[in-house]
Structures are given as structure tokens and as C-alpha cells.
Amino acid sequence: MIVVMEQNATDEQIQTIASKVEAMGLKANIIVGTERTVIAAIGEKRGSFKDSLESCPGVSAVTPISAPYKLASREVRPEPSLIEILDFRAGSGHVGYVAGPCSVESEEQLMSSARAVKAAGATGLRGGAFKPRTSPYSFQGMKEDGLKLLAAAREETGLAVFTEVMGTDDVDLVAKYADVLQVGARNMQNYRLLEAVGKCGKPVLLKRGASGTMDEFLLAAEYILNEGNDQVMLCERGIRTFETHTRFTLPLASIPYLHRRTHLPIIIDPSHGTGHTYMVKDLAVAAVAAGADGLIIEIHPDPPNAMSDGYQSQTFDEFAATMDRCQKVQRALQAD
Amino acid sequence: MIVVMEQNATDEQIQTIASKVEAMGLKANIIVGTERTVIAAIGEKRGSFKDSLESCPGVSAVTPISAPYKLASREVRPEPSLIEILDFRAGSGHVGYVAGPCSVESEEQLMSSARAVKAAGATGLRGGAFKPRTSPYSFQGMKEDGLKLLAAAREETGLAVFTEVMGTDDVDLVAKYADVLQVGARNMQNYRLLEAVGKCGKPVLLKRGASGTMDEFLLAAEYILNEGNDQVMLCERGIRTFETHTRFTLPLASIPYLHRRTHLPIIIDPSHGTGHTYMVKDLAVAAVAAGADGLIIEIHPDPPNAMSDGYQSQTFDEFAATMDRCQKVQRALQAD
Amino acid sequence: MIVVMEQNATDEQIQTIASKVEAMGLKANIIVGTERTVIAAIGEKRGSFKDSLESCPGVSAVTPISAPYKLASREVRPEPSLIEILDFRAGSGHVGYVAGPCSVESEEQLMSSARAVKAAGATGLRGGAFKPRTSPYSFQGMKEDGLKLLAAAREETGLAVFTEVMGTDDVDLVAKYADVLQVGARNMQNYRLLEAVGKCGKPVLLKRGASGTMDEFLLAAEYILNEGNDQVMLCERGIRTFETHTRFTLPLASIPYLHRRTHLPIIIDPSHGTGHTYMVKDLAVAAVAAGADGLIIEIHPDPPNAMSDGYQSQTFDEFAATMDRCQKVQRALQAD
Amino acid sequence: MIVVMEQNATDEQIQTIASKVEAMGLKANIIVGTERTVIAAIGEKRGSFKDSLESCPGVSAVTPISAPYKLASREVRPEPSLIEILDFRAGSGHVGYVAGPCSVESEEQLMSSARAVKAAGATGLRGGAFKPRTSPYSFQGMKEDGLKLLAAAREETGLAVFTEVMGTDDVDLVAKYADVLQVGARNMQNYRLLEAVGKCGKPVLLKRGASGTMDEFLLAAEYILNEGNDQVMLCERGIRTFETHTRFTLPLASIPYLHRRTHLPIIIDPSHGTGHTYMVKDLAVAAVAAGADGLIIEIHPDPPNAMSDGYQSQTFDEFAATMDRCQKVQRALQAD
């Protein structure tokens, strides 16, 4: 941690900071510059020292040197993690493809979707049974009935089931049917929920919040890992920016960034990341080209009649074409 | 709702949309333009029709005309709501001032803060007992012991107690001690929690999420109102933008915007909204000048030694000076 | 254009708007809804009617239906444009690769770069002679000496020369040496410059401003096209968002979006779009996978000793590897 | 400057950086931490060292300690600057009020506006003669005829004339008539124009670009100051964020931030900063409460018939009421 003092900081202020740094169990290294004095705090301790130093008189800025997360970091685990569930594999060279409807709506809708997912060569099935909706007046999901349909679809197809859990009270119920618990973007910093899915032990797909920074995202994963659950996948699904021609802005640079910082697999969601069906294929292929460890895509037998997210859902044929292109790119690049 | 068709939409596509609109219980008014055809859907129904129409072939865009929220709207309740708790009053011409430490740390810290709050003329006491922290390794709050201290401070000073509730499991416990349940920015779209504080019936301070749009913010309030709880205050605490010299960007235009759309009181948080103690006073006074119905400010007896948020906390003297300036502005403008 | 009236708009206000619409040469179609009245303005005229209607009493919102640009639109020219300069081809199925140093620094630096660009299979050479720099104290470029070196490099290699023009006074000078005039992101809305490069007639690479919307970007192109110059390429180089781990956020969804709206080729700049050398390759390959019509990449013989942008420049070897992967993806997808 | 090395940086890499730092004329102070090594570069030199160090092998991050601007800084000039032009005064305790139409449209429109500005107690007149417009098809201003009307209005009222200059070719012409040259938000980083208005010597109002950081904004001012022109006012007019209910997001925290960093006066533009007439008054009063050194406000005799920006222009009465409230707040706070 580097503490930069104000230009006119007094010797007393500098000494106070040095003492505080030492009291934190760190070594204070005072560097007197021509314009300013800087104190380098050396040691292994991590924590919220930054906050308390920044408010001290004479301090201009405090810059952390180490990442605030540990278990998620490459420094603790240098080799990439591989997540395996049934035939689904993500990370460590494997690209895991997940697809399915936004919401589970009926047996026919789900089963036909599952068969299309399987036929196109994907190994994971998504489908919402508990739906977080912006408006209290929108369809809220089929709840346990939806979970049962998902389990039945796994029974028939062998696809791994990914589904969202919205609250701590639902974790046990969802875990009873699902293979992967999804924590949605709105709940990225719902710490009670992160702790609960961490304790539950099932694999987790953690979506990045629409305004989550990379440190916040990795610290949210750290909440789960810290409960002893190391089956965590990170999902980039777009951030909120000034752009209005897409629902969110999908930053594929998250892939190389996260691969450098963390061993956890990175899954890309081009459906929410664009919000328009016609863009999904191009961004899906781009994500695979950029090194994503997996994709999660919304499909529907009849998008115009979907109960949610129809405007960003692919038809079965569009999805099959997308899979085909993704796999061509994967093969072209793996030959390297 | 206005459905704008693509330039090359076929008659059949136009008829399909018109039929769908009629099937929704709305009247379809087809307007043939020189370049495009537009369908105006007329009627009282609200819902997520937009989603399903936008994915239909031939549709270019769908523009809602009515606001998606009801109970929060001025259209349903034209006169501003007044929230009264003990001596605290916000809305309908009253400005309610709330202050206190970020976290409750000890009896001495809290009681001295409460006395300073009272002495400066404020009527609400804030203090976190359950703390949502970005890192699992940071101080997580004193929990029930903190709540007891808050209740004791109310006992002595008569200040209304505002404190955060982080999860559904804690609602009953927090409600036992607090006067106002605060839902934090990270939980603005934690719908389970919104439903729980709605059912609980206690007044709620709902903070805007760092990337929440105004519609999302008002629909989050709608979740609470929809449970029959009409004691809701909206808190603007800044949004996430590209700016890095402040912790968040505090948009005071939210005040006139929200006053025009909703009857709910608007409280401004200049502490989180700036993230720097030296900016808090200026933004607090500005908020009152812009017509805020209240302020919530972080103070601490010794900011450099605060366990959280010291860098944005005022000392007792700074807070007293801020209150003095706010009230001067309030008096100068009320004379109008 | 759709004019949505306030719920409590008076008949007189509605009639006033209808009269204004007719006075603009458009047909006013009044639709009386259950909650609000809407006026659809029908006709071929375009212009800033929106501004003047939005400020009228009783008006809630005005929604344009047609795009504000014409010459850039697919509606005016449905088939994609192909830009050809020497061996460089972008658009209409061709991917044009451009690379070179951020700044021209010396004959040796530029010639070695040009040879590396050529050897890797690219057909365009970039290099700044006039450098827009955030600080007046930074290196401002070699100016005409730099332009001469670029022309010499073209002489030897046959690469098309892309270089930036910063002001109207420099257009003639730059046009004397360059094949493509680049308008930088900071100047996207420097209308005098857009007019000047439009009049000049040389092909133009127009970079998107860091906060330019798509409409603003296309209207900036329209300024150039409107001067009779139809050799315009659009360059997406990233937008400013809250993210700090990349220099800008590179939204590849711009590719399918722009391809749907405009016939102009789309070039992606993964160097500025990420700001970190280690990310450039992945984003370059992703851009090709997403359908980009070209790439522009910064390279340098010795990035740590570059006079500008070394932190985002590739070495010659890194660039060759990037080209190899891009072309593999191109071939894999073209086989479709 | 602090250079943070990667955890696995080699001794050779560390020595290379130290040598580079010394070669730059700075002293390299190597601090060996438990996890990482940090090199503090000590000395008076400023420049773009950051860029070249960040691309070196083994370097994780480079953090500047000193601000990159000089002449604009409080460190060079600790006391606030006062800008005086005719009766207009901004800075150093004075609040300068400027108002007028977006575009000069006619003699009657401008003269009536100027009289209303004067009557309300303001001392500056704004009005655009050269208009930067997003679309080439929009009204581009009355050009020199508009400038002549502005000069005539000054003749009658004594108001200082503020008007925009869009290109280097127009600087002499505009300077012939205007008292203050305005550089618009789109041109904040048009360095040729900044140099030209710097050389011209007339006072300059520099508007912040919609995505300009504070350092970029102050460095743009530095371009003007560096030409020997110290009559610079900074204008905050809002930034581009995800918010769509305002045209831009107006961050009043810029006022205390800039007051701490620079001696230059800060003028707030609540018209562009909100984009809606009904919000202008509240944000104007808030800006004065937050310590602004001036305001610039758009007014029009008949906003619905304005040729530009009618939706954010105040009527004369609305402006008079705004001035009244601003001055009440000014008096209430100056009494401190």
C-alpha cells in the first residue's frame, strides 16, 4: 500500500501515518520526494486499511498494491480451474455451452428447447423458475413446478441444469433440482445470498452486476469461495453505459483481464449482453474467439410469444447456426 | 404504447401485430406513414407487452407511453406524501435531517454521535449494525448489539433510528429496534427483501442502486408499496459513471425529476454521493437548495479511526456547520 | 415522429401541436387514448422538429421514427460499400488490416514497422505525424518530416498510409502524403474538420468519440458524406465507461448494429479499445469473428521505448501471431 | 511516480526499470515488499514517463503522484483568480451570471433577451452565432450577422458578450465582436482551437467535454494558459452517463473538486446540464449553494419557437425568478 501525502503535509502528519501503518502490523517506509512525501506500507496483511488512512489529515491518496481478493486469485491458484458437471466442462481449455429459455413456461416449451440444445451440441440447459422482474406486475416464474420440469429435462437429455436462485429461503429448494445455482446480476452484492450458495456446496454461476467493477465481482466470488465452495464460474453479461442501442454493453476484454487475475472460468452471456436477437450470434462467436470458457444463450421455440426476453432469444435454428460457427472458430484456434 | 414497424414491413406483419395488440385487450390504431407504418395501442392495461412485441418480425421499436409504476406515481396520488416518525418529518415542505456513523462501533461512539446529531438540530439517527461490505474480510457490523445501542440512543435523544437490513432473515430483528428500515444500494433489486420490508410495515428508506434507472428505482419502490406499505422514502446516493475523483456521481436533477413523477419524499446522501469529507457540506447545501426532502449524512467522533467510511465522514463540528448552512438556505427559499 | 401529450393536456394544447405539425409540412394524426392523446406526424421531412415540439406546453415526449442521417444509411444505399486503396480493401466481405506505430519517431522505427506490417500480411500502415496529446507538454509528433517518412514507407512496401489530421489548416499538407485521413476520437464532432476532410476528397477513417452515441457517430460521417466524399470508414475504438481496468470499453456489438444501419465499413481498434498490449490479440480476433471489415493495430519495434502508447503496442512477433489467428478465424467463417 | 512491479518480476526487470527512471533524470528508490517490489521515482520532472514504463516487462502499474497540469494548479497559484469583464465578475467570491438565447435568431429576439438578462440582474449575455450542430441539416447559426447583433446588444446594455468559436479560422472574427470566446464541449480536446484561443488573448470559457475527466479538462485549460492567456473560466455542463431522463448528468461535486485543484473560476451550465426547462431553476440555485463562481443559462422570448434548444430554455419570467432565488441563497450564505 502506498500512501501519498499532500504537498504541504507536516512532519507530524507524516509521523502519524507512519505510526498508524506500523500499528497495523505493516512496515512503514518513508520516501521524501522533491514535491511530496510517500509512505510505502510493506507486509502481508490485507484489509480495509485504505479507508482509514485516506481520511487522515495530510493524506492525498492511498493506492493498494495487492489485489483485495485471495482465493479467487491466480496468485493463490496459478492453474485454471475446470468445472465439470455431467457432460458440461468449462475452463482449462474446455468451452461449455449452455442454452435454454429465459423462463420455464410449460413442459412442451422446455422439453423442445432441451432437445434443441442437445441436438446443437451444447451440454448445459438454462431456464428460470424463479424470475427476478423489474416490475412486480410481470410474470414471476413457475417456481417449483418449473424446477421439476428442468429436472425432467435433465433426465431425458443428460444436460446439466442451470437455474437462478433469488433468495436465501429458496436455496435448498433450488439445489434439490438444479446442477448449477445461478446468482443474477441484480444480486451480485446480495451478500446473504452469496454466503448461502457458498454453504450449499453446489456449483455456482455468478453474474456480474451491471455496474460491478472487476474487484467487486471477484470479491463477490470470494464470498462464495470463502464458505468452502470452489465450484464458481464467473459470467460477464454486460455493463450499464450511456449506450442505448444495446440493452447493456458487453466488454469482451473482461475475458483476458479475468484470465490473468483469476483461475475461475469465464462464461459470456451474449443474450443479455446485447438485448437483441440479431446481435447474439456475432457476439457469441466473438466471445469464443476471445477465449471464453463458455457461453450461456437464451433460446425459445417461438420468441415473439415468449413470456420474457423474447426480443433477445434465438430460435432453435439460429442457435444451431451459432453453435456451428462457435465450434468452427474453436477448432480453427485450437489447432494453434 | 407505440409500435413502430420496419420500413419494409409487410402487410401481413402489420396485421399480425394489430391482432396481437387486440388480443392483449388493447385497441390497435394503424397509422400509415410515408416511410413507415406505426401502430398505436390504446387502452388501460399495463404489463410487459413491450417485450413480446419487440421480438415480432417487422417491428422496429416499441415505445411505452405510460409509466410502468402505479402506486408510486403522481397520477395515482397527486399530492406529496409526508413521512413522520417521532420528530422526523420529510416531504410536503418538510426537510428531514438524518446523521450518524457509518457503522455502530461502541456505546461511546454512538451516544456521542447521537448527541451531536440532536444538538445540530437533526431529527434522525443513522448507524449500521448489519454492514454490507465489498470484501468478506472487512468488518461486518455489531449486529444485534448494534441495534440495541441504536434503541438506547433513541431512548435518550428522541431521534428516529434509521438502520440497514441486509437479508429477509433479519427483517424481524431489525424492525424490533429500528424506526426506519434502510434497503441499501446493492439490494435495490433484491426483490425478496423488498417484499419482506413491504410486508413488515415499518417505514423504509430505499437507496438507489449505483446503476439503477429512474424507472427501475420507482419499480423497486412499487414492490414495497404493492405489499401495502406506503411509508417509503427514496434516497439518491449517486450513480456509477466514468468519474473517478468522486466515489459516485451525485445527480441532483433526480430531485426535480422525482418530484414530478412520484409523491414519495426524496432524501439525498451527500456522503456516499461524493466519497470525500471535504465535498459533503457543499453538496448537502446544494441538495437543500434543489428542493430535497431530507439529507442523510455520515459523521464520526474521530473519522481517521472509523471502522468504515472514515474518508467521507464529517466531524461533529463539520456537521453542525453543514446544518447551519442548510437551514439558512431553507429559510431563504421558504420565504418565497 | 410521435408526439405523446401529458395526461392532463388540454384540447387547446393538443390543437396547437397539431397546427405546428401541419405548419411543418407534415400530416398530424391525432389518436385519443384512454390515458393520453398521441399525435403521429406523418411525412417525408426531416429536421430538428423534435426540439421545438418538446418545449411546447402539454407535451410529454417526442419520439423520432426515422433515423436522422440519410447518406450514411442502408435505406439510401442498401448494399455495403467497399473501400479500396492500393492493396487495402475493407467492406463488402473484405477485411482490411492496418498496423503501425502510434507516432512516427524515426526512419528506422517506421521502416522496420512497415516491413513487419507487410510481412504479416496487412495492407495498411498507420503512423501519427501530428499527435493530439492530452497534455501540452507531451511529444506532439514529427509533423511534415513524419509524413515524408510515411510516404517513403509506402514507396517501398506498397502499403496504404493512414495518418491523423488534427486541424483544418493541416488538411492539404496531410492529404499530400497520406492515402487515408484519420479523424481522431477527440475530433469526432469538430465539424469544421469534418467539412474540410469531406471537401478534400481523400478517403477518411472517422473514429468514434469516447462518448459518441451511434446517431452522433453516423451524423458525423454524414457531415463528410454531405460534402460529396463517400470514401468513409467508421472506426470503433472504445467508449468511456466506469471501467478502469481497460483504457476504454470496446463494444463489439457496434459491428452488427452498424452493419444493419449503414453501408460504410466498420474498422475496429483493439489497441485503444483496451489500452493493454496483452489484451490486443484476443480482442482483434474477436472483432474479426464478429464481422469487422478491418482492424487498426498499434505496433512498435520496442514498445517500452515508444514515445507514445507503448503500453498498448504489440511487438512485431505479437502482431504476426495476431494476424495469423485473425486469418484462421476469417477462413473458418468464410467457409460458411 | 510509483512503479509497482509484478509479483514474479525478476531482479533484472527491477534493475531495468530503476535504470530507466534514473535515465529520465529522476531518483529511483527501490522498496522490497513481502509480496512485491515497488520503485518510487523521485524528482521534479513531469511528462509522459508513465506511458513508457507501463509497457516494460515486469511492471504491474504506474501511479503518478503529481498532477499533470501546472499553470492551472493551486500549487502554482494558491489564491483564486478573478475574471472581470465590464460589469461581469467571476471567482474570488464573485458569482457571475450569464444568460441569453442558445442561438442568435433576429435583432428583436436578441435585444429583448438582452434587456431581460440585464433587468434580472445578470452581467453577461450568451448567444450562439456559429452553432455546432449534431446534424449537418440543422440550423448552423447567423454567423457574422449574429456577432454584430451581439455587439449591438452590448452597446445598449453593457452586458459582456459570451459566444462560441468553432474553428481556428473563425477566432479573429469572433474575437472582433465578443468579450469571451466560448470553446464548446465537443471541442474540449480540439488542441488547434485551444492554442488559437490561447494566442488570441481574449478571455475564454472552456466547457467540459461530455466524457472529459478532470485531468483532461484541466490539461485542456493548460493548453490555453500555456499560450500566455490566463483569462480562463471552466464550465461544467454535465457528463454522459447511463441516465436518459436528463440530457446529461450534472455533477455539482465538480465545484469543490476544482476549487481545491485550480485557481480558475467554475461556471455551471444548468441548461445543458439537465436538458429540461423545468429542472433549470433548481439546479441553478443548487450550483450557487455549492459555491459556483457563475452560471450560464439559456433563455428565449418564446421557447416553443426557438430554433435550437427550446426544450431547455427558460422564459424571461422563469429566469427572473431563478435569479431571485440564486441571489437569496448567495446572500444567506455570504452572511457566514
Side-chain angles (χ1 to χ4, degrees), chain B:
Chain B
M1 188 168 47
I2 303 291
V3 184
V4 180
M5 302 301 294
E6 300 276 4
Q7 270 201 315
N8 55 1
T10 63
D11 283 352
E12 196 193 326
Q13 288 171 337
I14 293 166
Q15 284 310 323
T16 302
I17 298 301
S19 305
K20 282 181 78 97
V21 164
E22 304 270 354
M24 287 164 179
L26 301 167
K27 189 167 167 302
N29 206 324
I30 300 177
I31 306 149
V32 181
T34 46
E35 288 187 6
R36 289 159 189 269
T37 291
V38 161
I39 299 167
I42 306 294
E44 270 176 30
K45 285 251 197 116
R46 300 187 194 214
S48 50
F49 302 142
K50 182 175 187 295
D51 291 14
S52 93
L53 291 174
E54 274 195 336
S55 54
C56 292
V59 171
S60 169
V62 180
T63 306
I65 293 177
S66 303
Y69 43 86
K70 289 186 241 185
L71 304 173
S73 76
R74 283 267 182 188
E75 297 174 2
V76 164
R77 185 188 154 94
E79 64 283 5
S81 289
L82 168 66
I83 307 284
E84 289 193 77
I85 309 140
L86 302 177
D87 292 335
F88 175 87
R89 269 172 197 69
S92 198
H94 297 269
V95 181
Y97 296 95
V98 185
C102 175
S103 302
V104 179
E105 297 170 9
S106 70
E107 183 175 351
E108 193 189 315
Q109 175 244 21
L110 186 68
M111 294 309 297
S112 65
S113 298
R115 286 172 203 133
V117 169
K118 172 102 176 166
T123 52
L125 175 67
R126 62 153 290 151
F130 292 94
K131 295 300 306 169
R133 300 307 298 275
T134 304
S135 166
Y137 311 125
S138 297
F139 172 62
Q140 309 272 327
M142 288 181 70
K143 310 208 165 80
E144 189 167 3
D145 289 343
L147 295 173
K148 287 179 180 166
L149 291 176
L150 286 164
R154 174 182 50 217
E155 195 69 19
E156 181 187 317
T157 59
L159 297 168
V161 166
F162 288 61
T163 198
E164 178 157 358
V165 57
M166 284 178 62
T168 49
D169 291 349
D170 307 327
V171 170
D172 287 346
L173 180 65
V174 175
K176 189 172 142 194
Y177 297 99
D179 298 299
V180 178
L181 303 185
Q182 182 178 313
V183 175
R186 294 171 177 89
N187 281 320
M188 187 191 89
Q189 292 188 309
N190 179 342
Y191 300 122
R192 291 285 185 270
L193 183 60
L194 297 176
E195 288 161 354
V197 299
K199 289 200 179 85
C200 155
K202 283 257 177 173
V204 176
L205 183 79
L206 174 66
K207 296 193 126 188
R208 181 182 183 186
S211 61
T213 65
M214 283 291 155
D215 273 5
E216 289 170 351
F217 191 18
L218 288 165
L219 282 166
E222 192 87 2
Y223 264 94
I224 303 171
L225 297 164
N226 196 36
E227 298 292 341
N229 183 348
D230 63 356
Q231 300 280 96
V232 178
M233 292 173 271
L234 301 172
C235 180
E236 170 64 82
R237 41 74 78 195
I239 58 171
R240 190 153 267 171
T241 73
F242 68 84
E243 296 204 312
T244 55
H245 65 285
T246 45
R247 188 174 176 192
F248 294 98
T249 296
L250 185 65
L252 295 182
S254 299
I255 301 169
Y257 179 85
L258 287 169
H259 276 162
R260 186 169 268 221
R261 296 303 178 294
T262 183
H263 52 88
L264 303 172
I266 322 302
I267 312 296
I268 300 293
D269 176 347
S271 306
H272 289 84
T274 61
H276 296 286
T277 303
Y278 82 89
M279 293 175 168
V280 172
K281 185 170 71 174
D282 287 344
L283 273 289
V285 182
V288 171
D293 300 305
L295 296 179
I296 183 163
I297 293 179
E298 289 188 346
I299 67 171
H300 196 279
D302 181 15
N305 288 311
M307 296 180 77
S308 56
D309 282 4
Y311 51 86
Q312 70 189 26
S313 296
Q314 292 189 315
T315 61
F316 297 165
D317 285 351
E318 288 165 341
F319 176 63
T322 300
M323 282 295 294
D324 179 58
R325 282 173 82 83
C326 288
Q327 290 173 325
K328 276 182 179 148
V329 165
Q330 215 184 320
R331 279 191 302 269
L333 295 177
Q334 275 171 346
D336 261 10

Side-chain angles (χ1 to χ4, degrees), chain D residues 224-240:
Chain D
I224 303 171
L225 297 164
N226 196 38
E227 299 291 340
N229 184 347
D230 63 354
Q231 300 280 95
V232 178
M233 291 174 273
L234 301 172
C235 180
E236 170 64 82
R237 41 74 80 197
I239 59 170
R240 190 152 267 170

Side-chain angles (χ1 to χ4, degrees), chain A residues 74 80 90-97 252-260 264-268 283-295 326 329-330 333-334, chain C residues 252 279 281-287 289 325 329:
Chain A
R74 282 268 182 186
S92 198
H94 297 269
V95 181
Y97 296 95
L252 294 182
S254 300
I255 300 169
Y257 179 85
L258 287 169
H259 276 163
R260 185 169 268 222
L264 302 172
I266 322 301
I267 312 297
I268 299 293
L283 274 289
V285 183
V288 171
D293 301 305
L295 296 180
C326 287
V329 164
Q330 216 184 318
L333 295 177
Q334 274 170 349
Chain C
L252 295 182
M279 293 175 169
K281 185 170 71 174
D282 288 343
L283 273 289
V285 183
R325 283 173 81 82
V329 165

